[in-house]
Amino acid sequence: MDYYQSPTHEQRFDLEIKNSQFITTVRRTRGRDEAKAFILEMNLRYPDANHNCWAFVAGAPNNVHLWDQSDDGEPKGTAGKPMLNVLQHSNFGEITVVVTRYFGGIKLGAGGLVRAYSQAVVEALDKVEWQEIYPRQTVFIKIAYPLLGKVEYWLENSDIDVDDKQFSEDIEITLAVIERTWPEQRQALIDLCQGNIKIIEDEKE
């Protein structure tokens, strides 16, 4: 599978276990900053909740540097870690899950909490509307000014994202290309510019 899944939009799922309400909110988040901003938003949305536990995989599923979790006051290891474990064993990336708990008066115990928070995320991922996200790679191209118009037109009609443009002696354009389609596109760009293009390929995102 050369793509991973990510939510199409913010979505909410409700679950009741022994009178406790578990509200699971899911959103696509690209990077730690977006994930943290979403978590803060949930804390402001549910300020009276007993806990707003969270976990995120804020990049591609295999990018461990963009994983994190929090129990938010629940006993250590009973909420955030099981939530993250569910995410790690899914094919979801660029995702943050916040499970908001309103305590219903019946204690669940450590094992019960682990099962409850895991179930909340499992059920949410099972129902969430998602889109396919294809891993991208950063590529830099350098072209002369006369080529800019036709290169820009070609890029607008492709699946390549333009992240930046720098204008100096030549024009340097930063691209985010989909790995599976880039080899053919690379050759197409070379042909379009009749070889008058410099391509520098960076590491994968």
Side-chain angles (χ1 to χ4, degrees), residues 106-151:
I106 301 173
K107 291 186 177 181
L108 302 181
L113 287 171
V114 169
R115 287 190 293 274
Y117 281 100
S118 298
Q119 182 183 345
V121 178
V122 167
E123 291 193 9
L125 295 187
D126 188 51
K127 298 172 185 173
V128 72
E129 294 179 23
W130 55 270
Q131 59 192 313
E132 297 175 0
I133 305 295
Y134 289 87
R136 290 183 180 264
Q137 176 181 355
T138 300
V139 171
F140 305 94
I141 63 171
K142 277 188 178 180
I143 56 172
Y145 281 82
L147 292 170
L148 180 60
K150 64 179 181 180
V151 168

Side-chain angles (χ1 to χ4, degrees), residues 38-56:
F38 171 51
I39 293 161
L40 177 60
E41 192 178 318
M42 291 300 99
N43 283 322
L44 295 173
R45 186 180 300 179
Y46 301 107
D48 58 336
N50 296 95
H51 308 278
N52 284 296
C53 305
W54 53 264
F56 63 70

Side-chain angles (χ1 to χ4, degrees), residues 143-152 169-171 192-193 196:
I143 56 172
Y145 281 82
L147 292 170
L148 180 60
K150 64 179 181 180
V151 168
E152 282 186 324
E169 188 175 332
D170 290 317
I171 303 166
L192 180 71
C193 298
N196 297 310

